[in-house]
Amino acid sequence: MKTNSLSAWLLAVRPYSLGNSVILVLVGSAMAFADGRFRPETALLCLLFALLMQCTANLVNDLCDFQRGADQPDRLGPDRAFAKGYITPGAMKGGILAFTLASCATGIGLLALSGWDWSLIAVGAACVIFAYFYTAGPWPLAYHGLGDVAVILFFGVIPVGFTYYLQTGFWGWEITVVALALGLVIDTMLMINNFRDREEDRRCNKRTIVVYLGAAFGRWGYLLLGVGAVALCLSLAATRQWVAALLPLPYLAFHIATWRKMVRIDHGEELNICLGETARNIMLFGALLSIGILLDHWI
């Protein structure tokens, strides 16, 4: 692959993972639509902001994991562009800066659409800080067992909740439940990654929660994240949102099937099969939940 080529940058931003951002904004916007307050221009900017911030985080992760020795030649996961030498250090740092500035510009657009709600600056700043300090800085979250908490918050509660809030000006318990459910489902991706890489992470002193608490925690944690997400959706039945409460249930069958495969394989590069299935399952959950929310509105 040619150094600093478009193909190299596409590998670096990990397009296979960007569906997560789409699902988060889709669900938040579906809830806004169900409440009769859907604003397409705001939804589009929320989507752009989420995608740019995820790309920023992916690039920072690519750079810093290599610098900390986490990406070795025997890496079990998908190839990393920087570790492979496909992107030079200067270009990678420039790319991180460019994506960060683009994210901030998009955030200013959202701020304008909100009527200049200056409290949103704190939210945007928190997103930028997370993108960097997940794997960068003197105390990176991913290296101290806090990666899962960060993912649930910044790939669940904040993007779903604020996609809804920016369109409606409101935040209630239902959006909190839905946002938390999405955060738990997306954290299954991190859990399977950390389960697969547990030995490699231990060697390079990357103290993920699986390294801290052991492989058994990774196995059962993966299962319980999906089960917990579906259980949270069931609570929507309390407000007679029956379709949104029940439609995500088929996701559980796929999630359990992937979990059983994960337990059987246990270690090695073959676990990447489970990683791919987990990405599929996340999309399925988000699609079913969004459809359920819309059907409850129309029925």
Side-chain angles (χ1 to χ4, degrees):
M1 185 178 295
K2 187 177 179 181
T3 304
N4 297 334
S5 63
L6 178 59
S7 297
W9 283 106
L10 286 174
L11 177 63
V13 299
R14 306 177 205 171
Y16 62 85
S17 71
L18 299 181
N20 292 344
S21 292
V22 176
I23 284 297
L24 296 169
V25 175
L26 179 64
V27 172
S29 296
M31 293 196 73
F33 183 88
D35 287 347
R37 299 181 182 183
F38 175 63
R39 297 173 61 189
E41 69 284 0
T42 300
L44 284 172
L45 276 184
C46 283
L47 176 60
L48 182 59
F49 181 79
L51 289 170
L52 288 170
M53 285 309 312
Q54 187 173 356
C55 288
T56 302
N58 287 346
L59 294 179
V60 173
N61 182 248
D62 209 327
L63 174 65
C64 293
D65 271 350
F66 177 78
Q67 291 177 333
R68 293 178 182 277
D71 285 343
Q72 298 293 327
D74 60 348
R75 171 180 167 78
L76 298 174
D79 286 342
R80 293 284 181 85
F82 189 74
K84 287 288 187 179
Y86 299 151
I87 296 178
T88 60
M92 180 61 86
K93 292 175 183 178
I96 291 170
L97 178 60
F99 273 101
T100 303
L101 292 176
S103 301
C104 292
T106 306
I108 292 171
L110 284 170
L111 190 63
L113 287 177
S114 74
W116 302 102
D117 180 351
W118 295 106
S119 65
L120 294 173
I121 292 179
V123 180
C127 291
V128 173
I129 290 169
F130 160 74
Y132 278 81
F133 289 96
Y134 180 74
T135 48
W139 207 80
L141 300 174
Y143 284 73
H144 293 86
L146 292 175
D148 297 88
V149 175
V151 164
I152 291 169
L153 184 60
F154 287 95
F155 277 97
V157 176
I158 287 178
V160 178
F162 278 96
T163 293
Y164 177 80
Y165 176 78
L166 282 164
Q167 295 180 64
T168 67
F170 177 74
W171 191 309
W173 74 268
E174 292 160 296
I175 189 63
T176 301
V177 164
V178 168
L180 186 55
L182 265 295
L184 293 179
V185 165
I186 288 180
D187 193 45
T188 60
M189 179 74 79
L190 179 62
M191 190 66 74
I192 184 65
N193 263 301
N194 290 343
F195 180 78
R196 180 199 62 208
D197 296 340
R198 60 191 185 274
E199 297 301 329
E200 180 183 345
D201 289 342
R202 186 176 290 109
R203 288 197 302 270
C204 69
N205 203 33
K206 185 176 183 179
R207 312 298 291 179
T208 67
I209 197 168
V210 177
V211 171
Y212 271 123
L213 300 179
F217 181 87
R219 294 186 197 97
W220 291 105
Y222 180 89
L223 175 64
L224 292 175
L225 284 168
V227 172
V230 171
L232 284 170
C233 290
L234 289 174
S235 70
L236 295 173
T239 53
R240 298 184 182 278
Q241 297 180 71
W242 296 107
V243 185
L246 298 175
L247 197 57
L249 281 172
Y251 155 83
L252 204 53
F254 289 90
H255 177 69
I256 291 173
T258 301
W259 169 72
R260 292 181 65 182
K261 189 176 295 185
M262 166 187 168
V263 171
R264 176 179 57 80
I265 296 171
D266 186 65
H267 63 278
E269 192 172 356
E270 195 179 352
L271 281 169
N272 288 328
I273 297 171
C274 299
L275 183 67
E277 290 186 4
T278 298
R280 176 204 64 195
N281 296 346
I282 290 170
M283 298 296 288
L284 175 64
F285 180 87
L288 291 174
L289 181 55
S290 298
I291 293 169
I293 290 166
L294 295 174
L295 287 177
D296 276 319
H297 169 71
W298 286 320
I299 293 176

